Amino acid sequence: MRSMQFDEYGAPLKAFSYEDPTPQGKEVVVRIEACGVCHSDIHLHEGYFDMGGGNKADVTRARELPFTLGHEIVGEVVATGPGVTGAKPGDKRIVYPWIGCGDCPKCNSGEDQSCARPRNLGVHVDGGYSTHVKIPDEKFLFAYDGIPTELAGTYACSGITAYGALMKAKEGAERGGFIGLIGAGGVGMAGLMLAKAAIGAKTVVFDIDDAKLEAATRAGADYVFNSGAKETRKEVMKLTGGGLSGAVDFVGSDKSALFGINALGQNGVLVIIGLFGGAMTVPVPLFPLKGITVRGSYVGSLQEMSDMMALVRAGKVPPMPVKTRPLDAAWETLEDLRHGKIVGRVVLTP
């Protein structure tokens, strides 16, 4: 097994070699064929999240070094433990990485992603910037028949994160007839593809980068706006008849969240999933006067993953832009993403 890891926070990734993992019990070993590079990998590599006002949430205690990032994993089953009854060598599968302790009320109800003792791949335990990964249970594997391998893994984060948030904004969006999508990066583009399949509303995409807005237009967005332009809020109010009833912030910065709040109409719902960071000040009377709801969303459940994959496998979700790079380019790719040089998703292939 060969893995691209960091042995010091903020340091360049480098190659480490290990013995191939051996599965026990209900464990499954997957030979990785592709792994997406996600913006949250940057924060994990830095060891903190920006909480605004100079404050940082230190996350360095969550993992042992050297560590392997990567949670958008797809590959082939190559070995199974004696307790595995369904998966078998040769199966091509997407790996759901949001894994809990396996024995708590959250995990037992299928909400593994909300477990207080998480074992998330590429976040808490070694992930997909590697040739192999070990999965604790076959229930975390999903078939992807008919989907290109390099695209399939992105549904394990970009896809399920967007889908989970869209489901929380769905009622408001359909009531108002428009779903606002703030940020047209990797997850935002996945959200655009899924919104057109899963929500009966017109898509309105916002970004400060005109190149990303052009990509969103090519991908089928009904409307695009530069969120940094002064006239944008007025134009959105006119388009929607008073503001958005449902929106998702894929950036998660102080500026993007505040823009989202200001773009909401009466009783509108903003769902924040981005982790860019920062802090903001919002007038408290705004909440009761406009009846708005601002909430967070963290990836999605196993059931939501199943529901989303049913849409994808049925051909109802257009593919998001994906480019491939070799596994050895992991550090270069992480740096390009850090500096905003990537449109869509870059996927590493061992």
Side-chain angles (χ1 to χ4, degrees), residues 108-153:
N108 291 334
S109 64
E111 296 286 337
D112 298 70
Q113 81 282 4
S114 299
C115 178
R117 293 180 291 159
R119 296 180 291 167
N120 298 335
L121 301 177
V123 179
H124 302 94
V125 299
D126 287 328
Y129 292 9
S130 182
T131 58
H132 295 75
V133 67
K134 186 164 63 176
I135 318 301
D137 193 294
E138 63 186 308
K139 72 178 182 179
F140 300 112
L141 302 177
F142 288 83
Y144 63 96
D145 313 57
I147 305 167
T149 298
E150 63 273 15
L151 172 65

Side-chain angles (χ1 to χ4, degrees), residues 16 38 68 70 83 94 133 146-147 166 184 233 245 247 300 331 348:
F16 287 77
C38 178
T68 310
I94 298 171
V133 67
I147 305 167
L166 288 168
R233 183 176 181 275
S245 294
W331 173 242
L348 304 175

Side-chain angles (χ1 to χ4, degrees), residues 191-215:
L192 173 59
M193 306 298 126
L194 286 159
K196 297 189 76 65
I199 294 181
K202 292 187 180 298
T203 53
V204 188
V205 177
F206 304 93
D207 205 290
I208 58 173
D209 186 335
D210 287 337
K212 291 181 179 178
L213 291 177
E214 289 175 10

Side-chain angles (χ1 to χ4, degrees), residues 19-340:
E19 293 292 325
D20 288 352
T22 301
Q24 305 292 328
K26 300 175 70 175
E27 294 175 340
V28 177
V29 174
V30 171
R31 179 177 59 79
I32 297 170
E33 296 182 343
C35 180
V37 179
C38 178
H39 200 277
S40 62
D41 294 342
I42 295 171
H43 303 295
L44 297 170
H45 174 255
E46 292 172 339
Y48 67 89
F49 288 92
D50 179 5
M51 306 305 285
N55 299 311
K56 298 178 179 180
D58 187 323
V59 295
T60 58
R61 298 188 187 93
R63 65 202 59 81
E64 296 182 3
L65 302 183
F67 187 75
T68 310
L69 295 164
H71 48 268
E72 293 188 342
I73 305 167
V74 62
E76 179 182 347
V77 174
V78 292
T80 61
V84 176
T85 58
K88 61 185 183 304
D91 287 348
K92 302 283 190 173
R93 295 290 184 265
I94 298 171
V95 179
Y96 177 90
W98 313 109
I99 298 168
C101 68
D103 187 23
C104 71
K106 290 291 185 182
C107 291
N108 291 334
S109 64
E111 296 286 337
D112 298 70
Q113 81 282 4
S114 299
C115 178
R117 293 180 291 159
R119 296 180 291 167
N120 298 335
L121 301 177
V123 179
H124 302 94
V125 299
D126 287 328
Y129 292 9
S130 182
T131 58
H132 295 75
V133 67
K134 186 164 63 176
I135 318 301
D137 193 294
E138 63 186 308
K139 72 178 182 179
F140 300 112
L141 302 177
F142 288 83
Y144 63 96
D145 313 57
I147 305 167
T149 298
E150 63 273 15
L151 172 65
T154 67
Y155 290 112
C157 178
S158 297
I160 188 57
T161 299
Y163 186 81
L166 288 168
M167 291 303 99
K168 295 175 178 67
K170 179 180 172 71
E171 181 180 351
E174 293 184 336
R175 181 179 69 248
F178 297 89
I179 176 70
L181 308 173
I182 304 169
V187 185
M189 290 296 283
L192 173 59
M193 306 298 126
L194 286 159
K196 297 189 76 65
I199 294 181
K202 292 187 180 298
T203 53
V204 188
V205 177
F206 304 93
D207 205 290
I208 58 173
D209 186 335
D210 287 337
K212 291 181 179 178
L213 291 177
E214 289 175 10
T217 299
R218 291 194 300 271
D222 294 300
Y223 303 92
V224 299
F225 293 95
N226 189 308
S227 49
K230 291 182 179 180
E231 68 276 10
T232 291
R233 183 176 181 275
K234 184 184 296 184
E235 292 179 357
V236 171
M237 292 294 153
K238 182 179 179 180
L239 171 68
T240 59
L244 294 163
S245 294
V248 178
D249 178 6
F250 293 95
V251 181
S253 72
D254 48 357
K255 293 182 177 62
S256 64
L258 190 57
F259 172 84
I261 290 172
N262 289 332
L264 290 178
Q266 199 71 25
N267 299 320
V269 177
L270 174 67
V271 182
I272 302 174
I273 59 173
L275 293 166
F276 191 88
M280 63 181 176
T281 300
V282 181
V284 173
L286 185 66
F287 290 90
L289 289 174
K290 292 187 69 174
I292 61 173
T293 300
V294 179
R295 62 171 301 179
S297 180
Y298 186 69
V299 298
S301 67
L302 278 167
Q303 183 59 55
E304 286 175 324
M305 182 75 178
S306 179
D307 294 343
M308 178 193 67
M309 289 309 302
L311 286 174
V312 175
R313 293 173 66 188
K316 297 181 179 180
V317 181
M320 67 178 287
V322 170
K323 295 181 180 179
T324 61
R325 294 184 183 181
L327 178 61
D328 287 345
W331 173 242
E332 174 192 351
T333 303
L334 202 63
E335 285 290 274
D336 284 349
L337 187 60
R338 195 191 314 269
H339 293 103

